Amino acid sequence: VLKQISKFRGKEIQQNILFTATEERFTFQATDGEVTYVRHLPLVNGEQVNGKVEVAGEILLPIKFDQLAHTLDMSTLSLEVKKNELLVKQAKTTAKVVLLTGDFPTVPKGEKGEGLRLSKEALALLVNQTAFSAADHDSRPVLKAIHMEAGDDGFKIIATDSHRLSQKLISNKINLPTLNIPAKKLSNVIDTIAEGSSIDLIPYGNYILLVTPNSEIYIRQLEGSFPDVSKLIINKAKSKVKVKSKDMLSAIDRALTFVKSDNHRKITMKTEDNLLKVFSSADEGSIEQFIETEVEGEAIDITFNANYAVAAIKSFQQETITFHIEDTSRPFFILSEEDETLTQLVLPVRTK
């Protein structure tokens, strides 16, 4: 449990974990101000006995307790509070941990809206296919969000940092309000949830509440208006280039041999007959290679950020993807004929 929720510790009093023991269960609560993670552990779960409480109460567990716990054996231990110390005993080991006191933040208050139930795997897929396009800087905080909104054509999950965009479309009608959930925080939370778990995703005032069989997780939404990207997602492609995903990823990886900068990993792709040339050059050398493709429409010659393209291509679960390109100044689409629910856009790099 400590490993699961400790990444959501904050500063000062929030560095601690609030531990509560009752006759029915242990409860652990961590918060960093943006995420409040409440994890329950029943004393008895079927035939499994997780613990016994002789005197109920609550304390603040400091980081030092985590460090101590990691050194102990995976066997029974006892915890006893005496004045401002926590006495920890296990076999022949006895430790005293100094406890802090203070007002630990309470769980957020809000009004629950109508929610949505889905599996951990389904939510993880939606996030994995979009979250990488969210911004990682604070110049426009709302762009750090995964944006969710209902539209005439279904429910949309969108992320963009203004240089690339990801959109996942769910055709089923979903009664959720518009949400701006921090992408990185949501990804971190999903990683802590056990495989096969069901998750209730519930609007909760300024928060989104994720409820699993043994936890409640509150994530503060980001403030601000998410940009209207509907005009960007209008496909006016003059060229279509269809390739196998693995071939394109291998070609990009090889083309980056002489490109050292992580921030400007530029490569160029150009069609020649029914072949696609992928190449790059730098002071140390250059490389070019050809992969088989199906070309429809005009010839292309376009340069782009390799990191962005790789993330977009990997978001598809299908074997083939198609580049839809209008011109070298407009974002180009990466799509799959086998999955029309996922759209990836990447802004080209100007070369002149």
Side-chain angles (χ1 to χ4, degrees), residues 165-292:
L165 182 147
S166 302
Q167 176 179 283
K168 180 73 174 181
L169 180 65
I170 301 175
S171 57
N172 297 340
K173 184 177 180 181
I174 297 177
N175 294 320
L176 285 176
T178 298
L179 304 172
N180 290 318
I181 309 172
K184 188 173 182 179
K185 295 292 184 181
L186 181 57
S187 296
N188 288 341
V189 165
I190 292 173
D191 287 343
T192 68
I193 298 174
E195 300 294 327
S197 297
S198 64
I199 302 173
D200 291 332
L201 191 153
I202 304 169
Y204 192 76
N206 294 330
Y207 290 79
I208 191 75
L209 172 60
L210 302 181
V211 180
T212 75
N214 57 25
S215 61
E216 297 96 39
I217 308 152
Y218 305 80
I219 307 176
R220 186 195 297 272
Q221 293 194 59
L222 293 172
E223 297 180 355
S225 298
F226 198 84
D228 180 6
V229 300
S230 58
K231 293 181 180 179
L232 291 175
I233 311 180
I234 299 177
N235 193 345
K236 298 180 180 179
K238 297 177 182 177
S239 308
K240 297 180 182 180
V241 180
K242 186 176 182 180
V243 296
K244 291 185 177 180
S245 297
K246 65 178 183 179
D247 291 343
M248 191 65 194
L249 290 173
S250 295
I252 293 174
D253 183 58
R254 200 169 295 117
L256 291 173
T257 301
F258 299 105
V259 182
K260 302 299 183 183
S261 173
D262 289 335
N263 296 325
H264 303 285
R265 307 184 78 184
K266 296 186 296 184
I267 65 169
T268 300
M269 64 180 184
K270 181 178 181 180
T271 52
E272 295 185 5
D273 297 324
N274 274 329
L275 293 175
L276 181 66
K277 181 169 76 170
V278 181
F279 61 97
S280 66
S281 62
D283 294 339
E284 294 86 353
S286 63
I287 187 170
E288 65 178 39
Q289 61 201 305
F290 292 88
I291 57 177
E292 293 184 359

Side-chain angles (χ1 to χ4, degrees), residues 1 4-5 8 18 20 25-32 34-42 104-109 112 117 186 189-190 192-194 197-202 204 207-220:
V1 173
Q4 183 181 35
I5 70 174
F8 303 104
L18 180 63
T20 305
R25 65 186 182 182
F26 300 130
T27 299
F28 302 78
Q29 180 181 328
T31 184
D32 60 9
E34 295 182 70
V35 175
T36 298
Y37 204 122
V38 182
R39 174 72 158 83
H40 304 291
L41 184 64
F104 195 80
T106 59
V107 296
K109 304 295 182 183
K112 287 185 179 181
R117 175 167 290 183
L186 181 57
V189 165
I190 292 173
T192 68
I193 298 174
S197 297
S198 64
I199 302 173
D200 291 332
L201 191 153
I202 304 169
Y204 192 76
Y207 290 79
I208 191 75
L209 172 60
L210 302 181
V211 180
T212 75
N214 57 25
S215 61
E216 297 96 39
I217 308 152
Y218 305 80
I219 307 176
R220 186 195 297 272

